[in-house]
Amino acid sequence: QVQLVESGGGLVQPGGSLRLSCAASGSILSINSMGWYRRGPGKAREFVADISRSGTRRYTDSVKGRFTISRDNTKNTVYLQMNSLKPEDTAVYYCNSDGLSSDLGMFNSWGQGTQVTVSS
């Protein structure tokens, strides 16, 4: 079993900041990519950002320059620092990770999601 637990969501005014965290736990041997997706109201889930084990980062165009993804491999944790938040960033944010598990073999797991609401 591999579990991902997100935290750090909430309500913030436009222009504000939030930091999301996602910790992976369970029968993990190694983690390759860790990333974030989001589903806005009435929208499909979309890719936000991810980071490889070696630190290569990718972002969707709408968050470049505002969001920063990072990870702590010693804690199997990924972070998303979100600055200059806009109302259109309102969504449920989901953590995703893939890697190797001692009982699952290759895994690709999702967190339960954390709500981010940007509103005045």
Side-chain angles (χ1 to χ4, degrees):
Q1 291 274 1
V2 175
Q3 297 85 33
L4 301 181
V5 178
E6 301 109 332
S7 61
L11 173 64
V12 64
Q13 293 186 342
S17 298
L18 282 175
R19 188 192 193 211
L20 305 183
S21 300
C22 171
S25 64
S27 54
I28 297 170
L29 295 177
S30 64
I31 295 178
N32 298 325
S33 176
M34 302 188 80
W36 293 93
Y37 291 71
R38 65 186 180 187
R39 186 192 300 274
K43 298 180 181 179
R45 186 166 59 189
E46 65 171 350
F47 169 79
V48 176
D50 66 10
I51 182 169
S52 69
R53 184 170 182 82
S54 63
T56 300
R57 297 169 171 85
R58 300 188 303 167
Y59 299 93
T60 192
D61 286 346
S62 62
V63 308
K64 286 179 180 177
R66 300 188 298 122
F67 292 9
T68 301
I69 190 169
S70 60
R71 65 188 279 177
D72 184 336
N73 290 331
T74 66
K75 298 179 180 179
N76 288 339
T77 298
V78 63
Y79 307 96
L80 186 68
Q81 178 66 43
M82 304 185 295
N83 299 328
S84 302
L85 282 161
K86 304 175 181 180
E88 51 263 44
D89 294 317
T90 295
V92 178
Y93 283 72
Y94 298 91
C95 177
N96 175 262
S97 179
D98 67 84
L100 185 62
S101 164
S102 60
D103 59 358
L104 299 173
M106 296 300 295
F107 73 87
N108 188 301
S109 295
W110 293 88
Q112 81 287 353
T114 185
Q115 177 70 47
V116 171
T117 302
V118 184
S119 175
S120 55

